[in-house]
Amino acid sequence: MQRSIAEKVFNVFNIIGFFLFTLLMLIPIMFVVKTSLDISQVGEVQLNLLPKEPSLLFYDMVIHDESVYRPFLNSIIITVLGTSLSMLINSIGAYTLSKRELPGNRFFIYFLVIIPMLFGGGIVPTYLLVRALGLIDHLPVLFIPSAANAWNMILIRNYYWSIPTSLAESARIDGAQEFTVFFKIILPLAKPVLAAIALFTGVGYWNTFMAAVLYIRDSRKYTFPVKLRELIILGGDANKSFEEMLMSMGMDPNEYFLSVEGLSSAMMIVSMIPIILVYPYLQKYFAKGIMVGSIKG
Amino acid sequence: MDSAATTVSYKRNEKKIFNKTNVMLYLMILPPLILYYIFHYIPMPGIMLAFQRYTISGFKYWSGFENFTYIFNTPFFWRAFRNNWVFVAFSYAFITPAPILFALMLNEIRVRWYKKTVQTISTLPNFVTWVVIAGIFMQLLSPTRGYVNYIIEFFGGQSIYFLSKPALFPWLFTFMRIWKGVGYSSIIYLAALAGVDPQLYEAAVIDGAGRLRQTWHVTLPGIRNTIVVLIVLSFSHVLSGLFEPIFVLKNDFIESSAEILDTYIFNLGITRGKYYLATTIGLFKSTISMVLLFFANWLSKRVTEDGRSIL
């Protein structure tokens, strides 16, 4: 097919344009990587993408300073427990939703999807409830209230619907109870959708921030993003300054002119690593993930 | 004979709502019901706080619309309200079209591996928390150590403290939102583009249409429905979803253009303990959202091809 000159010019510009766009995405991240690895003197900014004095000092601090690694562990705990609990509850509940002929099915949809979409107590009444329950400063508050998720249940239910009924039917004829049918036949067949939703749920828990800001005061219960924000905004810890953190690492703050930016950069990278690790799998499920937002009861 | 009898008893059993199977199914959905009841339904009556007040001695009394009058006479409330709508305007002006444009341009690239690489890189930031995104940009734009200011000074300019200029904030924030989300938001459009019938392009070429006319007459109509549905769906939550980024990026210098209703509610209610005023604003905000939701629902039935509703 003959292509006009205008089209060729457009193609070239389009390719160059996307190249620049990709650089615009990558360079800021590369600068953060550099800052996290560089312990050269503060004060002079350079455009190099390689560290002048490479060192893993800041990553060492992430691993060894309790005020940093504890939030990291907290994030891991809520990610693991939150994802497991959420998947367990939602995959089982979705089976009930998939029974169209079950009396009360419409009620469940109204109760779980439509009414919460229209009415809600809002931030303050929910906060007051959590406080009344004595859940403030307890890690479960970060994953139990959000464990049941109607959208995910609907997504899983739609997948159950796509499983041929003949399989479950033959098991029932063999005398299997509904429980057995679900755990032995339906659940194993729904693995793809469960894996996809588990990944998205996991990333969500890993990034837990807003709930922690609302319900966590005790710095030992912080999640990793909350700790990171504290370092970025306050330039240190409420209880322990960056200099003290350096000293506990056996460094003399007067000898090394290090800035807290190095530590926060290292934390940013650490926070991104798990996401980059699961990213290839996430990418596989993008299309399904997008449907989370668009499918309705 | 025997089998007929079992069928009959099975049918009789079926008629009872609480037969063994159904009870089992009800038990299976019990945990989500309980969690929703506790964390969504119990706080609902809390909305009544909007019509209540405390005396100094802690005694609660009904105050009618006193809280609303108070809020509507507070300049800070109107500031947050106005800023919220400024961000809505920026959303529809830039953030909604960006992924459409991105998808249209990327669709024109024929080199598979290049397309895939661009997509892989541009989608990643969507999964990174706003705290990290804000951290990256704060470092980049820092007046003392930031690379952007380094370049400005290198060319003889004056260093700018970008994140403390109220007038700049909506633009910077919009840029960050696009930077974070454009790749991910474009996926749905790219999927829609892949679904456009290739025969339509062939027909257009035979009719002598160039690339631009093909885009205008074939591609855009092909994804029109997707665009309309997504825009309509977005109406109901225009006022929410910005708490986290604003909360992380906000500082005292830019509060005048960065404070939104959600962060104002947080400040008033959680930080300063003025529960009833914060709840009043919350109720005001969710009333607007509810009206918008019904509007979106009405619009959705009208504009979508299959007349589907949101509710």
Side-chain angles (χ1 to χ4, degrees), chain A residues 15 96 103 111 131 207 265 279, chain B residues 25-26 41 114 120 139 275:
Chain A
I15 287 176
T96 309
F111 189 86
R131 208 181 56 173
N207 289 336
S265 298
Y279 191 57
Chain B
L25 287 169
Y26 290 137
Y41 286 81
Y114 190 69
T120 304
Q139 235 178 60
Y275 301 137

Side-chain angles (χ1 to χ4, degrees), chain A residues 11 14-15 19 22 24-25 34 42 45-46 96 103 111 129 131 150 207 261 265 275 279 283 296, chain B residues 22 25-26 36 38 41 47 105 114 120-121 123-124 127 139 145 147 150 179 211 275 290 308-309:
Chain A
N11 272 338
N14 200 15
I15 287 176
F19 181 71
T22 319
L24 188 70
M25 312 287 305
K34 187 207 110 179
V42 196
V45 188
Q46 241 129 30
T96 309
F111 189 86
L129 169 77
R131 208 181 56 173
N207 289 336
E261 261 180 28
S265 298
I275 291 171
Y279 191 57
Q283 233 181 345
K296 325 168 282 286
Chain B
N22 286 3
L25 287 169
Y26 290 137
Y36 263 77
I38 296 175
Y41 286 81
I47 213 76
M105 301 289 272
Y114 190 69
T120 304
I121 294 169
T123 313
L124 181 67
F127 298 98
Q139 235 178 60
R145 292 171 49 83
Y147 296 97
Y150 177 82
W179 191 88
R211 259 318 231 297
Y275 301 137
M290 200 154 116
R308 63 170 150 162
S309 69

Side-chain angles (χ1 to χ4, degrees), chain A residues 7 10, chain B residues 100-101 103-105 107-108 110 193 196 200-201 204 209-224:
Chain A
E7 275 179 25
F10 169 79
Chain B
I100 302 173
L101 196 68
L104 286 175
M105 301 289 272
N107 200 44
E108 295 297 324
R110 303 281 180 243
L193 284 172
V196 177
L200 292 173
Y201 288 107
R211 259 318 231 297
L212 201 63
R213 307 212 69 173
Q214 285 176 40
T215 306
W216 186 254
H217 291 291
V218 180
T219 317
L220 274 177
I223 60 169
R224 184 189 154 271

Side-chain angles (χ1 to χ4, degrees), chain B residues 23-296:
Chain B
V23 167
M24 215 177 265
L25 287 169
Y26 290 137
L27 282 177
M28 287 167 86
I29 205 170
L30 203 57
L33 293 181
I34 292 173
L35 282 176
Y36 263 77
Y37 177 72
I38 296 175
F39 293 104
H40 289 264
Y41 286 81
I42 293 181
M44 268 181 204
I47 213 76
M48 289 303 160
L49 274 175
F51 305 99
Q52 290 169 339
R53 285 218 150 182
Y54 296 98
T55 59
I56 300 163
S57 53
F59 180 72
K60 219 192 252 178
Y61 66 93
W62 292 96
S63 61
F65 286 90
E66 207 179 307
N67 289 335
F68 287 90
T69 329
Y70 183 87
I71 285 298
F72 292 150
N73 284 311
T74 311
F76 288 128
F77 165 74
W78 290 113
R79 186 180 74 177
F81 186 68
R82 193 206 61 209
N83 288 340
N84 230 150
W85 287 103
V86 168
F87 291 132
V88 171
F90 271 78
S91 267
Y92 285 112
F94 303 106
I95 294 164
T96 310
I100 302 173
L101 196 68
F102 183 89
L104 286 175
M105 301 289 272
L106 196 62
N107 200 44
E108 295 297 324
I109 286 179
R110 303 281 180 243
V111 192
R112 285 281 302 277
W113 65 266
Y114 190 69
K115 199 171 164 178
K116 193 116 184 43
T117 313
V118 170
Q119 241 196 312
T120 304
I121 294 169
S122 61
T123 313
L124 181 67
N126 178 66
F127 298 98
V128 176
T129 167
W130 263 108
V131 180
V132 171
I133 306 286
I136 292 174
F137 277 95
M138 280 175 178
Q139 235 178 60
L140 216 60
L141 300 172
S142 150
T144 49
R145 292 171 49 83
Y147 296 97
V148 175
N149 276 317
Y150 177 82
I151 295 170
I152 290 175
E153 281 179 355
F154 184 83
F155 287 108
Q158 272 283 321
S159 158
I160 304 166
Y161 197 168
F162 287 100
L163 287 167
S164 69
K165 295 254 186 296
L168 278 181
F169 183 72
W171 299 95
L172 283 172
F173 183 47
T174 305
F175 179 80
M176 290 181 213
R177 283 176 73 191
I178 293 176
W179 191 88
K180 185 179 194 280
V182 72
Y184 188 73
S185 314
S186 70
I187 292 173
I188 195 158
Y189 295 113
L190 283 165
L193 284 172
V196 177
D197 189 353
Q199 287 185 341
L200 292 173
Y201 288 107
E202 284 162 25
V205 170
I206 291 167
D207 289 345
R211 259 318 231 297
L212 201 63
R213 307 212 69 173
Q214 285 176 40
T215 306
W216 186 254
H217 291 291
V218 180
T219 317
L220 274 177
I223 60 169
R224 184 189 154 271
N225 216 27
T226 312
I227 297 174
V228 170
V229 168
L230 287 180
I231 291 178
V232 168
L233 281 175
S234 70
F235 285 162
S236 54
H237 46 86
V238 284
L239 291 181
S240 348
L242 292 182
F243 177 86
E244 196 175 317
I246 294 286
F247 186 80
V248 207
L249 286 164
K250 203 178 60 150
N251 58 51
D252 292 346
F253 301 107
I254 53 168
E255 210 175 58
S256 62
S257 73
E259 184 93 285
I260 53 168
L261 289 175
D262 278 343
T263 51
Y264 188 51
I265 293 171
F266 178 84
N267 263 336
L268 218 51
I270 312 297
T271 316
R272 287 162 58 197
K274 308 214 163 177
Y275 301 137
Y276 47 91
L277 289 181
T279 309
T280 311
I281 303 172
L283 179 60
F284 179 74
K285 197 197 116 191
S286 51
T287 310
I288 296 177
S289 299
M290 200 154 116
V291 171
L292 286 171
L293 179 67
F294 280 116
F295 172 67

Side-chain angles (χ1 to χ4, degrees), chain A residues 1 30 52 55 64 73 75 88 114 118 140 165 183 186 192 206 226 233 235 271 282 286 291:
Chain A
M1 195 168 68
M30 278 151 84
K52 258 172 112 187
S55 157
H64 288 111
L73 291 180
S75 274
L88 190 74
I114 295 175
L118 289 172
T165 46
F183 282 104
I186 306 292
W206 177 248
V226 174
I233 307 281
S271 163
L282 272 174
F286 278 162
M291 284 162 62

